[in-house]
């Protein structure tokens, strides 16, 4: 009898039954699949995380065998849909607005110290890599809005958020969040940049939404990403999931898309002792950031 893979709720008794322990051979299969398709490196120490994430999804669709679920994910048209759902569970991390205030202040300082004539001539382009459900790119748009206002300039800026998860990007485009996501947003900013719904949720105002676009990009495929000439690239808490050699490869691709004088912001501790011939480290104890050197004549 074939397993029932619909999304209807399963009987409570079945759903509460513990799944069998994942053996090391099964773990290696999933480990190799994740790395080959997403670049995400899952060490043996995260076996419990993988087992829990898979188990949650398997219960939802009524599957009780890891190998059976593995075959479902890698084969047939339905496998593509199921893979997308699973990737969302494995890669979307907890985030919030203004998560790293030091990095936010660095972006503001960077914009405020740019030559005003340059800001008048062209749009300031910012890229949030691994944007998840959108809190980071909207935060960047709010920072740019404030900076442009302080400089007395029109809003010549745009923010692009990219992620591998389609469900996460759908949430990002909606721009609606629970109050828990706004715990680090000051009251004045909350009133200025959000509309509160009757159900207690908050929606990003249209003026900020209009400045942000979202696109699905696999970080392993940055060579084909359409983003070029970026003034700021924000890539925090993304590289930690990849092997060191792949981190260097990803960063080299990002540097190629940064304009001379552009700012690259990374997460603290993500690339210790990393150097690039085209970058200078921003002197800061609280952020890991680099400026791309001007092109040589």
């Amino acid at each position: 009898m074939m397993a029932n893979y619909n999304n209807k709720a399963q009987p409570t008794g079945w759903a509460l039954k513990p799944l069998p322990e994942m053996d090391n051979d099964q773990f290696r299969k999933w480990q190799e699949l994740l790395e080959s398709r997403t670049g995400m490196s899952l060490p043996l120490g995260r076996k419990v995380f993988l087992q829990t994430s898979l188990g949650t999804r398997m219960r939802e669709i009524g599957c009780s065998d890891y190998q059976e679920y593995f075959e479902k994910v890698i084969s047939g048209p339905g496998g593509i849909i199921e893979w997308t759902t699973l990737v969302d569970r494995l890669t979307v991390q907890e985030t919030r607005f203004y998560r790293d205030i030091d990095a936010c202040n660095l972006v503001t300082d960077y914009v405020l110290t740019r030559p005003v004539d340059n800001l008048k001539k062209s749009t300031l382009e910012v890229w949030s890599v691994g944007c998840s459900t959108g809190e980071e790119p909207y935060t960047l748009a709010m920072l740019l809005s404030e900076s442009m206002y302080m400089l007395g300039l029109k809003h010549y800026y745009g923010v692009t958020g990219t992620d591998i998860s389609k469900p996460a990007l759908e949430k990002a485009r909606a721009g609606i969040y629970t109050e828990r996501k706004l715990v680090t947003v000051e009251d004045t900013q909350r009133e200025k940049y959000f509309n509160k719904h009757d159900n207690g949720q908050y929606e990003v105002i249209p003026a900020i939404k209009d400045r942000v676009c979202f696109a699905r990009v696999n970080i392993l495929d940055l060579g084909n990403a359409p983003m070029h000439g970026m003034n700021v690239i924000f890539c925090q808490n993304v590289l930690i999931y990849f092997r060191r050699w792949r981190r260097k490869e990803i960063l080299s691709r990002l540097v190629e898309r940064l304009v001379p004088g552009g700012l690259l912001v990374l997460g603290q501790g993500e690339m210790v002792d990393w150097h690039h011939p085209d970058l200078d480290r921003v002197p800061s104890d609280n952020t890991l950031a680099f400026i791309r050197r001007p092109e040589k004549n």
Side-chain angles (χ1 to χ4, degrees), residues 237-250:
N237 303 314
V238 176
L239 299 176
I240 55 175
Y241 300 105
F242 301 94
R243 298 184 189 276
R244 183 172 175 81
W245 68 266
R246 199 182 292 277
R247 295 181 194 184
K248 292 180 179 180
E249 187 178 82
I250 291 168

Side-chain angles (χ1 to χ4, degrees), residues 212-228:
V212 184
C213 67
F214 295 96
R216 186 173 186 267
V217 172
N218 187 334
I219 203 166
L220 294 188
D221 198 28
L222 288 179
N224 296 318
M227 281 67 71
H228 293 277

Side-chain angles (χ1 to χ4, degrees), residues 25 43 55 61 65 81 94 99 104 119 124 135 171 187-188 224 226 268:
D25 287 340
I61 64 173
D65 181 86
I81 298 172
E94 177 67 21
R99 178 178 58 187
C104 290
L119 293 175
L124 195 70
E135 292 88 338
K171 294 176 184 176
D187 290 343
T188 53
N224 296 318
Q268 281 279 55

